[in-house]
């Protein structure tokens, strides 16, 4: 039984925007899952449907085996949401916001008060507990939304760009907090536009573009794919057979063109050494575009995703 | 029926208590905007219409003009405040998006509705009480029937809270929350026999007034206090209960459908 299971999810908004096309997604219990994709890809729409803020056009969603439409109580009780945009009452104080949310989940007041203190302290908001929410800084508001989402201790926490507009120091402390939470057993799904964040936190990553999941794999394989480049080589004389170039995978395109993949740990110098060993003379070469990489550039605004890793 | 969770009755009760507390806290926190204005306006009504003008108007249906208008004025403040409270609070929650706090939680729809209505009824009755206390400075009010007075004012507050809720669900901008109170509620209340008896109107207008639901509520409430009414009491109860039933069913349908709430 998965923490989250989406089957054939479709969403067309009133007005005709097709936001999701046959999305299937499984997130296993205990996972730290990253959902990446450029602006307008459909991330918030997926989260909206899971948290019942958006009505699906068709398809099914279940949270720990509970269908969100058939057993809303069980499904919703297991879910916590940190939305992309601030959505709390401007006139309420930090502790009122957290305690009211606990009440809406049916948490006893005494339990809620204990947890509120715990989470507000952990998130460094305890001193602000009596402050009006509108007087908080952006970073404090983000942390308040995390405290609010945890007050009923959900088994699945969904965070929609939790570190957007947060400074490096705070971002790192949020990472530590989220990683601890995940280690204590909470399944976490997060969307982000920072590759470093996905790389540091997520075990598995899904990539969505134009409402379709185009990649769903573990972080390591994804990075390997991203760090590899493909080249199209034009060969001087027509090839009799496909040359073997050591560890470099070769795909023939036509009799004068081959495609060669260069992985992150390999170098072009090695490639050319192999080429001359096999007696292949290259007249020209060009870089083949990598859809995944292009997508990453749009998603993350980085030409070389590997550069950001630390 | 979908939406009822017998296994979670304790949690449901906590959710309801939380929402009612939050709603009550809201209008008490902004008491200067919610509780003081009706006290001032209604005092002016009593001073101007009751004392100054009323002393020149002869008795109405056998009561002094002040005694006659007091129940209508109390009712007017209950209606406006119950309605305004729910429509502003619910639209405000949508506008600031904190309604999402409720929507993502397992709180059943009927609890959401009950919570908002309870807030409206609370403010309506609280204002009604304030105005009643003010009225006692101007008129010697002896309540004819406590059960009728209380039940009519309570049911009316429920009805207009529901009205405010429905308005709040459909409202998309701040203008939308003022249209109904300005163009429908206030005229119907003034024409609902707050300041005059139906017997004073020419036949045609009297008959037309009978189509105004607020007239029945004002008169039923006046009966509770003075023991005199232009209309049969049973009709008033049937009408109010009928509207409440229809309003509740419609509100629950809107919530289930997610109108104005879920895209
Ligand atoms: N309420 C809405 N009504 C109509 N169209 C919408 C609505 N919400 C989102 N959309 C459209 O659906 C598509 C997906 O939007 P969504 O918010 O899910 O993207 P996203 O991946 O979260 O983007 P971002 O990274 O910018 O947050 C977009 O084309 C968007 O314009
Ligand atoms: Mg988004």
């Amino acid at each position: 039984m998965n923490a989250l299971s989406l089957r054939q999810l479709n969403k067309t908004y009133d007005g005709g925007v097709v936001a999701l096309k046959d999305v299937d997604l499984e997130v296993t219990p205990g996972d730290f899952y990253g959902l990446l994709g450029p602006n307008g890809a459909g991330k918030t729409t997926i989260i909206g449907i899971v948290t019942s803020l958006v009505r699906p056009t068709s398809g099914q969603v279940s949270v720990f085996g509970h269908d969100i439409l058939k057993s809303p109580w069980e499904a919703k009780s297991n879910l916590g949401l940190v939305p992309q945009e601030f959505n709390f009452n401007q006139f309420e104080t930090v502790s009122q916001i957290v305690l009211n949310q606990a009440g809406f989940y049916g948490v006893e007041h005494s339990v809620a008060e204990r947890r509120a203190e715990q989470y507000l302290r952990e998130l460094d908001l305890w001193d602000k507990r009596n402050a009006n929410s509108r007087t908080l800084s952006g970073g404090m508001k983000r942390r308040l939304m995390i405290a609010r989402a945890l007050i009923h201790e959900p088994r699945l926490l969904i965070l929609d760009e939790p570190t957007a507009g947060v400074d490096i120091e705070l971002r790192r402390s949020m990472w530590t907090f989220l990683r601890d939470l995940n280690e204590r057993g909470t399944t976490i799904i997060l969307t982000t536009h920072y590759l470093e964040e996905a790389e540091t936190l997520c075990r598995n990553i899904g990539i969505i573009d134009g409402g379709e999941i185009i990649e769903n794999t573990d972080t390591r394989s994804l990075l390997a794919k991203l760090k590899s480049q493909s080249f199209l080589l034009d060969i001087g004389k027509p090839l009799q057979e496909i040359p073997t170039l050591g560890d470099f995978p070769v795909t023939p395109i036509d009799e004068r063109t081959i495609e060669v993949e260069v992985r992150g740990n390999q170098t072009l110098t090695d490639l050319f050494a192999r080429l001359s060993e096999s007696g292949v003379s290259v007249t020209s070469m060009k870089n083949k575009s990598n859809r995944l990489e292009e997508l990453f550039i749009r998603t993350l605004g980085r030409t070389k995703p590997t550069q950001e890793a630390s | 029926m979908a939406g009822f969770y017998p296994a979670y009755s304790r949690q449901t009760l906590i959710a309801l208590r939380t929402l009612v507390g939050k709603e009550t806290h809201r209008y008490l926190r902004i008491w200067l905007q919610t509780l003081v204005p009706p006290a001032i306006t209604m005092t002016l009504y009593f001073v101007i219409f009751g004392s100054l003008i009323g002393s020149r108007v002869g008795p109405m249906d056998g009561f002094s003009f002040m005694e006659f208008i007091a129940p209508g004025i109390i009712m007017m403040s209950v209606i406006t405040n119950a309605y305004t409270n729910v429509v502003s609070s619910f639209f405000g929650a949508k506008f600031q998006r904190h309604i999402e706090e409720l929507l993502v939680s397992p709180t059943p729809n009927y609890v959401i509705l009950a919570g908002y209505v309870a807030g409206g009824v609370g403010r309506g009755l609280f204002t009604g009480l304030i105005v009643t206390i003010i009225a006692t400075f101007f008129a010697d009010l002896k309540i004819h029937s406590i059960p009728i007075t209380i039940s009519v004012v309570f049911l009316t507050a429920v009805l207009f809270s529901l009205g405010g809720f429905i308005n709040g669900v459909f409202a998309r901008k701040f203008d939308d929350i003022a249209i109904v109170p300005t163009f429908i509620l206030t005229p119907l209340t003034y024409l609902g026999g707050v300041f005059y008896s139906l017997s004073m109107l020419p036949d045609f207008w009297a008959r037309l007034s009978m189509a105004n639901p607020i007239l029945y509520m004002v008169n039923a409430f006046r009966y509770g206090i003075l023991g005199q009414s232009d209309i049969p009491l049973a009709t008033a109860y049937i009408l109010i209960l009928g509207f409440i039933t229809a309003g509740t069913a419609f509100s629950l349908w809107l919530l289930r459908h997610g109108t104005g709430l879920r895209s």
Side-chain angles (χ1 to χ4, degrees):
Chain A
M1 182 181 58
N2 279 337
L4 181 67
S5 161
L6 309 183
R7 300 227 177 87
Q8 291 293 298
L9 210 55
N10 281 280
K11 174 65 187 177
T12 306
Y13 282 104
D14 300 344
V17 177
V18 179
L20 298 179
K21 297 172 204 154
D22 292 335
V23 168
D24 287 303
L25 191 68
E26 301 289 327
V27 176
T28 52
D31 200 358
F32 204 130
Y33 189 90
L35 191 59
L36 274 60
N39 290 129
K43 302 180 295 294
T44 302
T45 303
I46 291 186
I47 293 174
I49 292 176
V50 172
T51 54
S52 78
L53 296 174
V54 174
R55 286 171 294 182
T57 306
S58 65
Q60 280 161 8
V61 177
S62 59
V63 178
F64 287 101
H66 303 290
D67 186 286
I68 54 159
L69 297 176
K70 294 192 196 111
S71 335
W73 190 290
E74 289 81 356
K76 288 171 152 191
S77 302
N78 279 312
L79 262 178
L81 170 69
V82 178
Q84 184 170 5
E85 281 162 59
F86 302 130
N87 69 341
F88 32 69
N89 191 330
Q90 306 272 322
F91 305 104
E92 285 178 345
T93 67
V94 168
S95 59
Q96 277 169 348
I97 288 172
V98 175
L99 291 173
N100 280 340
Q101 187 72 86
F104 296 153
Y105 281 92
V107 178
E108 297 286 347
H109 194 70
S110 54
V111 178
E113 282 196 315
R114 201 181 60 232
R115 286 187 198 162
E117 174 163 358
Q118 180 201 332
Y119 288 115
L120 291 179
R121 280 191 192 282
E122 284 182 32
L123 288 156
D124 227 0
L125 283 171
W126 183 243
D127 294 341
K128 290 280 178 185
R129 64 190 179 278
N130 294 321
N132 244 318
S133 69
R134 66 167 181 277
T135 66
L136 301 181
S137 74
M140 292 172 187
K141 285 178 181 165
R142 293 254 164 239
R143 282 177 283 153
L144 171 55
M145 294 207 295
I146 297 179
R148 185 184 62 180
L150 289 173
I151 197 74
H152 62 290
E153 307 207 316
R155 290 162 75 196
L156 172 60
L157 177 67
I158 303 184
L159 306 106
D160 199 351
E161 296 189 33
T163 60
V166 163
D167 70 33
I168 286 286
E169 194 183 339
L170 179 53
R171 187 176 302 162
R172 283 178 200 273
S173 74
M174 277 165 73
W175 289 353
T176 313
F177 178 82
L178 292 176
R179 199 173 311 121
D180 284 353
L181 195 68
N182 179 248
E183 272 158 21
R184 281 182 271 154
T186 308
T187 310
I188 299 183
I189 298 177
L190 124 161
T191 72
T192 178
H193 285 277
Y194 303 105
L195 184 68
E196 186 188 0
E197 186 160 289
E199 231 181 317
T200 318
L201 295 174
C202 302
R203 264 189 292 283
N204 290 293
I205 289 182
I207 297 179
I208 178 171
D209 187 28
E212 288 177 281
I213 302 272
I214 58 164
E215 191 69 55
N216 186 3
T217 177
D218 62 290
T219 309
R220 199 171 304 162
S221 339
L222 182 78
L223 290 172
K225 270 192 200 174
L226 269 176
K227 289 173 187 173
S228 75
Q229 303 187 69
S230 289
F231 294 95
L232 292 174
L233 309 183
D234 290 330
I235 314 298
K237 33 183 200 295
L239 286 167
Q240 304 308 316
E241 59 180 50
I242 303 164
T244 11
L245 301 173
D247 289 341
F248 296 96
V250 180
T251 324
I253 303 294
D254 56 41
E255 57 176 15
R256 281 172 173 272
T257 320
I258 55 171
E259 181 180 333
V260 182
E261 190 184 333
V262 180
R263 302 220 178 84
N265 54 352
Q266 297 170 315
T267 65
L268 286 178
T269 321
D270 279 346
L271 173 63
F272 281 103
R274 296 285 179 197
L275 284 165
S276 51
E277 272 170 28
S278 331
V280 180
S281 73
V282 176
T283 53
S284 73
M285 79 185 266
K286 64 174 190 270
N287 208 322
K288 191 181 171 215
S289 66
N290 175 340
R291 184 177 177 204
L292 201 57
E293 191 184 342
E294 278 178 0
L295 193 69
F296 257 77
I297 295 167
R298 276 196 288 145
T299 307
L300 309 158
R302 294 282 187 282
T303 39
K304 293 244 174 59
T306 49
Q307 280 183 348
E308 212 192 359
S310 57
Chain B
M1 191 185 130
F4 284 87
Y5 308 103
Y8 300 103
S9 51
R10 171 78 194 154
Q11 284 93 329
T12 308
L13 196 69
I14 294 175
L16 179 64
R17 217 170 49 199
T18 307
L19 185 54
V20 175
K22 179 176 156 114
E23 283 305 291
T24 308
H25 192 260
R26 191 195 78 96
Y27 70 75
L28 293 179
R29 182 183 61 221
I30 49 170
W31 58 278
L32 211 57
Q33 295 167 47
T34 53
L35 302 174
V36 174
I40 294 175
T41 320
M42 299 306 160
T43 306
L44 290 172
Y45 276 127
F46 286 126
V47 172
I48 296 167
F49 295 113
S51 304
L52 302 177
I53 299 176
S55 57
R56 298 188 173 208
V57 179
M60 193 148 325
D61 287 351
F63 296 94
S64 76
F65 189 57
M66 181 73 90
E67 282 170 322
F68 183 84
I69 64 169
I73 286 178
I74 295 168
M75 206 58 161
M76 191 154 104
S77 57
V78 172
I79 290 176
T80 330
N81 281 279
Y83 192 95
T84 317
N85 193 69
V86 184
V87 72
S88 351
S89 176
F90 195 74
F91 178 71
K94 269 181 21 172
F95 185 78
Q96 289 186 41
R97 300 183 55 173
H98 61 83
I99 191 69
E100 292 176 2
E101 293 176 343
L102 264 172
L103 298 180
V104 301
S105 80
T107 309
N109 288 339
Y110 69 91
V111 171
I112 298 182
L113 181 64
Y116 276 95
V117 167
V121 170
R123 171 160 152 205
L125 296 184
F126 198 159
T127 335
L129 186 68
I130 295 174
V131 176
T132 307
I133 292 168
I134 295 171
T136 59
F137 290 105
F138 295 89
D140 186 19
L141 291 179
K142 288 185 284 295
I143 295 178
H144 173 75
S145 159
I146 291 180
I148 294 177
T149 308
I150 304 271
S151 61
V152 170
V153 75
F154 176 78
L155 292 173
T156 306
V158 169
L159 174 55
F160 285 92
S161 299
L162 283 165
F165 185 84
I166 295 167
N167 189 169
V169 165
F170 284 105
R172 287 165 181 274
K173 47 189 186 327
F174 277 100
D175 289 348
D176 296 345
I177 71 176
I179 290 175
V180 176
T182 315
F183 295 103
I184 299 178
L185 235 44
T186 311
L188 285 187
T189 313
Y190 276 86
L191 299 173
V194 172
F195 297 105
Y196 53 82
S197 159
L198 216 53
S199 58
M200 291 165 63
L201 295 178
D203 211 32
F204 171 76
W205 293 106
R207 224 180 283 250
L208 190 68
S209 297
M210 301 296 276
N212 176 0
I214 295 182
L215 179 96
Y216 294 82
M217 301 166 204
V218 168
N219 270 281
F221 186 65
R222 182 177 287 135
Y223 179 84
I225 295 189
L226 303 180
Q228 194 281 332
S229 164
D230 291 344
I231 50 99
L233 208 57
T235 318
Y237 275 105
I238 292 170
L239 196 81
I240 302 176
L241 289 169
F243 274 121
I244 288 179
T245 311
T248 307
F250 186 47
S251 303
L252 289 175
W253 182 86
L254 290 171
L255 280 171
R256 178 129 41 99
H257 195 250
T259 309
L261 295 173
R262 307 179 204 257
S263 44

Short mmCIF file of all heavy atoms in Angstrom, two decimals, chain B residues 167-201:
data_model
loop_
_atom_site.label_atom_id
_atom_site.label_comp_id
_atom_site.label_asym_id
_atom_site.label_seq_id
_atom_site.Cartn_x
_atom_site.Cartn_y
_atom_site.Cartn_z
N ASN B 167 -24.55 33.81 -0.22
CA ASN B 167 -23.98 35.00 -0.86
C ASN B 167 -22.45 34.91 -0.87
O ASN B 167 -21.79 35.18 -1.88
CB ASN B 167 -24.47 36.24 -0.10
CG ASN B 167 -24.12 37.56 -0.79
OD1 ASN B 167 -24.62 38.59 -0.40
ND2 ASN B 167 -23.27 37.54 -1.81
N GLY B 168 -21.88 34.49 0.26
CA GLY B 168 -20.43 34.37 0.38
C GLY B 168 -19.84 33.34 -0.57
O GLY B 168 -18.75 33.53 -1.12
N VAL B 169 -20.57 32.26 -0.78
CA VAL B 169 -20.09 31.21 -1.70
C VAL B 169 -19.99 31.77 -3.12
O VAL B 169 -19.02 31.52 -3.83
CB VAL B 169 -21.05 30.00 -1.67
CG1 VAL B 169 -20.79 29.07 -2.85
CG2 VAL B 169 -20.89 29.24 -0.36
N PHE B 170 -20.99 32.56 -3.51
CA PHE B 170 -21.00 33.06 -4.89
C PHE B 170 -20.14 34.31 -5.09
O PHE B 170 -19.75 34.60 -6.21
CB PHE B 170 -22.44 33.36 -5.33
CG PHE B 170 -23.21 32.11 -5.65
CD1 PHE B 170 -24.18 31.62 -4.79
CD2 PHE B 170 -22.95 31.41 -6.83
CE1 PHE B 170 -24.88 30.46 -5.07
CE2 PHE B 170 -23.65 30.24 -7.13
CZ PHE B 170 -24.61 29.76 -6.25
N ALA B 171 -19.87 35.04 -4.00
CA ALA B 171 -19.16 36.32 -4.14
C ALA B 171 -17.76 36.11 -4.71
O ALA B 171 -17.04 35.20 -4.32
CB ALA B 171 -19.07 37.02 -2.79
N ARG B 172 -17.39 36.95 -5.65
CA ARG B 172 -16.05 36.90 -6.23
C ARG B 172 -15.24 38.14 -5.90
O ARG B 172 -14.03 38.14 -5.98
CB ARG B 172 -16.14 36.79 -7.75
CG ARG B 172 -16.58 35.43 -8.21
CD ARG B 172 -17.01 35.46 -9.67
NE ARG B 172 -17.45 34.15 -10.07
CZ ARG B 172 -16.65 33.19 -10.52
NH1 ARG B 172 -15.35 33.41 -10.60
NH2 ARG B 172 -17.12 32.01 -10.87
N LYS B 173 -15.95 39.24 -5.61
CA LYS B 173 -15.22 40.46 -5.22
C LYS B 173 -16.00 41.15 -4.11
O LYS B 173 -17.15 40.79 -3.83
CB LYS B 173 -15.04 41.36 -6.44
CG LYS B 173 -16.30 41.57 -7.26
CD LYS B 173 -15.97 42.29 -8.56
CE LYS B 173 -17.19 42.67 -9.37
NZ LYS B 173 -18.36 41.79 -9.32
N PHE B 174 -15.34 42.15 -3.49
CA PHE B 174 -15.95 42.77 -2.32
C PHE B 174 -17.31 43.39 -2.62
O PHE B 174 -18.20 43.36 -1.78
CB PHE B 174 -15.00 43.79 -1.70
CG PHE B 174 -14.01 43.15 -0.79
CD1 PHE B 174 -12.72 42.89 -1.21
CD2 PHE B 174 -14.39 42.75 0.50
CE1 PHE B 174 -11.80 42.26 -0.37
CE2 PHE B 174 -13.48 42.12 1.35
CZ PHE B 174 -12.19 41.88 0.90
N ASP B 175 -17.50 43.93 -3.85
CA ASP B 175 -18.79 44.51 -4.21
C ASP B 175 -19.92 43.51 -4.06
O ASP B 175 -21.04 43.87 -3.68
CB ASP B 175 -18.77 44.97 -5.68
CG ASP B 175 -17.89 46.19 -5.86
OD1 ASP B 175 -17.52 46.79 -4.83
OD2 ASP B 175 -17.59 46.53 -7.02
N ASP B 176 -19.60 42.26 -4.37
CA ASP B 176 -20.64 41.23 -4.36
C ASP B 176 -21.22 40.97 -2.98
O ASP B 176 -22.28 40.38 -2.85
CB ASP B 176 -20.09 39.90 -4.89
CG ASP B 176 -19.67 39.99 -6.35
OD1 ASP B 176 -20.05 40.97 -7.02
OD2 ASP B 176 -18.95 39.09 -6.81
N ILE B 177 -20.50 41.39 -1.95
CA ILE B 177 -21.07 41.11 -0.62
C ILE B 177 -21.96 42.25 -0.13
O ILE B 177 -22.66 42.10 0.84
CB ILE B 177 -19.98 40.78 0.44
CG1 ILE B 177 -19.15 42.00 0.82
CG2 ILE B 177 -19.06 39.66 -0.06
CD1 ILE B 177 -18.16 41.68 1.93
N ALA B 178 -21.94 43.36 -0.86
CA ALA B 178 -22.77 44.48 -0.41
C ALA B 178 -24.08 44.58 -1.19
O ALA B 178 -25.03 45.22 -0.74
CB ALA B 178 -22.00 45.79 -0.55
N ILE B 179 -24.13 43.91 -2.37
CA ILE B 179 -25.30 44.06 -3.24
C ILE B 179 -26.59 43.59 -2.57
O ILE B 179 -27.57 44.33 -2.51
CB ILE B 179 -25.07 43.29 -4.56
CG1 ILE B 179 -24.00 44.03 -5.37
CG2 ILE B 179 -26.36 43.16 -5.36
CD1 ILE B 179 -23.60 43.31 -6.64
N VAL B 180 -26.58 42.39 -2.05
CA VAL B 180 -27.80 41.85 -1.46
C VAL B 180 -28.26 42.67 -0.25
O VAL B 180 -29.43 43.09 -0.19
CB VAL B 180 -27.65 40.35 -1.13
CG1 VAL B 180 -28.89 39.82 -0.44
CG2 VAL B 180 -27.36 39.57 -2.41
N PRO B 181 -27.38 42.96 0.71
CA PRO B 181 -27.84 43.78 1.84
C PRO B 181 -28.39 45.14 1.40
O PRO B 181 -29.42 45.58 1.90
CB PRO B 181 -26.57 43.97 2.69
CG PRO B 181 -25.71 42.81 2.35
CD PRO B 181 -26.01 42.46 0.92
N THR B 182 -27.73 45.79 0.44
CA THR B 182 -28.17 47.12 0.04
C THR B 182 -29.45 47.12 -0.77
O THR B 182 -30.36 47.90 -0.52
CB THR B 182 -27.08 47.82 -0.80
OG1 THR B 182 -25.84 47.60 -0.15
CG2 THR B 182 -27.34 49.30 -0.94
N PHE B 183 -29.49 46.22 -1.77
CA PHE B 183 -30.61 46.29 -2.71
C PHE B 183 -31.78 45.38 -2.38
O PHE B 183 -32.86 45.53 -2.92
CB PHE B 183 -30.11 46.02 -4.13
CG PHE B 183 -29.18 47.08 -4.62
CD1 PHE B 183 -27.80 46.86 -4.65
CD2 PHE B 183 -29.67 48.33 -5.02
CE1 PHE B 183 -26.94 47.86 -5.09
CE2 PHE B 183 -28.81 49.32 -5.46
CZ PHE B 183 -27.44 49.09 -5.49
N ILE B 184 -31.57 44.42 -1.53
CA ILE B 184 -32.68 43.51 -1.21
C ILE B 184 -33.05 43.56 0.26
O ILE B 184 -34.19 43.86 0.62
CB ILE B 184 -32.33 42.07 -1.64
CG1 ILE B 184 -32.08 42.04 -3.16
CG2 ILE B 184 -33.47 41.12 -1.25
CD1 ILE B 184 -31.70 40.70 -3.70
N LEU B 185 -32.04 43.31 1.10
CA LEU B 185 -32.34 43.17 2.53
C LEU B 185 -32.90 44.44 3.16
O LEU B 185 -33.94 44.42 3.81
CB LEU B 185 -31.05 42.75 3.25
CG LEU B 185 -31.12 41.49 4.07
CD1 LEU B 185 -31.85 40.37 3.37
CD2 LEU B 185 -29.72 41.07 4.46
N THR B 186 -32.20 45.56 2.94
CA THR B 186 -32.64 46.80 3.58
C THR B 186 -34.03 47.23 3.09
O THR B 186 -34.90 47.48 3.91
CB THR B 186 -31.59 47.92 3.37
OG1 THR B 186 -30.32 47.38 3.73
CG2 THR B 186 -31.89 49.14 4.20
N PRO B 187 -34.26 47.27 1.75
CA PRO B 187 -35.62 47.65 1.32
C PRO B 187 -36.70 46.71 1.87
O PRO B 187 -37.73 47.18 2.37
CB PRO B 187 -35.55 47.54 -0.20
CG PRO B 187 -34.12 47.59 -0.55
CD PRO B 187 -33.36 47.08 0.62
N LEU B 188 -36.44 45.42 1.81
CA LEU B 188 -37.47 44.49 2.29
C LEU B 188 -37.72 44.67 3.78
O LEU B 188 -38.84 44.49 4.26
CB LEU B 188 -37.07 43.04 1.99
CG LEU B 188 -37.20 42.57 0.54
CD1 LEU B 188 -36.94 41.08 0.44
CD2 LEU B 188 -38.59 42.88 -0.03
N THR B 189 -36.66 45.01 4.52
CA THR B 189 -36.85 45.20 5.95
C THR B 189 -37.68 46.46 6.21
O THR B 189 -38.63 46.44 6.99
CB THR B 189 -35.48 45.32 6.66
OG1 THR B 189 -34.65 44.26 6.20
CG2 THR B 189 -35.63 45.21 8.15
N TYR B 190 -37.32 47.56 5.53
CA TYR B 190 -38.10 48.79 5.72
C TYR B 190 -39.55 48.58 5.32
O TYR B 190 -40.46 49.12 5.94
CB TYR B 190 -37.49 49.93 4.88
CG TYR B 190 -36.36 50.62 5.59
CD1 TYR B 190 -35.08 50.12 5.50
CD2 TYR B 190 -36.59 51.76 6.36
CE1 TYR B 190 -34.02 50.74 6.15
CE2 TYR B 190 -35.54 52.39 7.02
CZ TYR B 190 -34.25 51.87 6.91
OH TYR B 190 -33.23 52.48 7.57
N LEU B 191 -39.75 47.82 4.23
CA LEU B 191 -41.13 47.58 3.76
C LEU B 191 -41.77 46.42 4.51
O LEU B 191 -42.87 46.00 4.20
CB LEU B 191 -41.13 47.29 2.26
CG LEU B 191 -40.60 48.43 1.37
CD1 LEU B 191 -40.48 47.98 -0.07
CD2 LEU B 191 -41.51 49.65 1.50
N GLY B 192 -41.04 45.88 5.48
CA GLY B 192 -41.56 44.71 6.20
C GLY B 192 -42.34 45.08 7.45
O GLY B 192 -42.46 44.28 8.37
N GLY B 193 -42.83 46.31 7.47
CA GLY B 193 -43.69 46.69 8.59
C GLY B 193 -42.94 47.01 9.86
O GLY B 193 -43.47 46.85 10.96
N VAL B 194 -41.69 47.46 9.72
CA VAL B 194 -40.96 47.85 10.93
C VAL B 194 -41.57 49.11 11.52
O VAL B 194 -41.75 49.23 12.73
CB VAL B 194 -39.46 48.09 10.60
CG1 VAL B 194 -38.73 48.69 11.80
CG2 VAL B 194 -38.79 46.78 10.20
N PHE B 195 -41.94 50.07 10.63
CA PHE B 195 -42.39 51.37 11.12
C PHE B 195 -43.90 51.59 10.99
O PHE B 195 -44.41 52.63 11.37
CB PHE B 195 -41.67 52.50 10.36
CG PHE B 195 -40.19 52.48 10.58
CD1 PHE B 195 -39.33 52.02 9.59
CD2 PHE B 195 -39.66 52.89 11.79
CE1 PHE B 195 -37.97 52.00 9.80
CE2 PHE B 195 -38.30 52.86 12.01
CZ PHE B 195 -37.45 52.41 11.01
N TYR B 196 -44.59 50.66 10.36
CA TYR B 196 -46.04 50.87 10.20
C TYR B 196 -46.78 49.55 10.27
O TYR B 196 -46.20 48.48 10.13
CB TYR B 196 -46.36 51.57 8.86
CG TYR B 196 -45.74 50.88 7.65
CD1 TYR B 196 -46.37 49.77 7.07
CD2 TYR B 196 -44.55 51.33 7.09
CE1 TYR B 196 -45.82 49.13 5.98
CE2 TYR B 196 -43.99 50.71 6.00
CZ TYR B 196 -44.63 49.60 5.45
OH TYR B 196 -44.08 48.96 4.38
N SER B 197 -48.08 49.70 10.48
CA SER B 197 -48.91 48.51 10.52
C SER B 197 -49.50 48.29 9.13
O SER B 197 -49.80 49.25 8.42
CB SER B 197 -50.02 48.70 11.55
OG SER B 197 -51.08 47.81 11.27
N LEU B 198 -49.66 47.04 8.79
CA LEU B 198 -50.20 46.70 7.48
C LEU B 198 -51.58 47.32 7.27
O LEU B 198 -51.96 47.68 6.16
CB LEU B 198 -50.31 45.16 7.39
CG LEU B 198 -50.01 44.53 6.05
CD1 LEU B 198 -48.66 44.97 5.52
CD2 LEU B 198 -50.06 43.00 6.19
N SER B 199 -52.32 47.48 8.37
CA SER B 199 -53.69 48.00 8.27
C SER B 199 -53.72 49.45 7.79
O SER B 199 -54.74 49.96 7.37
CB SER B 199 -54.38 47.88 9.63
OG SER B 199 -53.63 48.59 10.59
N MET B 200 -52.56 50.13 7.85
CA MET B 200 -52.50 51.52 7.39
C MET B 200 -52.40 51.62 5.88
O MET B 200 -52.60 52.68 5.30
CB MET B 200 -51.28 52.23 7.98
CG MET B 200 -51.35 52.45 9.46
SD MET B 200 -49.70 52.88 10.06
CE MET B 200 -49.43 54.41 9.17
N LEU B 201 -52.00 50.50 5.22
CA LEU B 201 -51.73 50.56 3.80
C LEU B 201 -53.01 50.38 2.99
O LEU B 201 -53.92 49.67 3.43
CB LEU B 201 -50.75 49.45 3.40
CG LEU B 201 -49.33 49.52 3.95
CD1 LEU B 201 -48.54 48.33 3.47
CD2 LEU B 201 -48.65 50.83 3.55
#
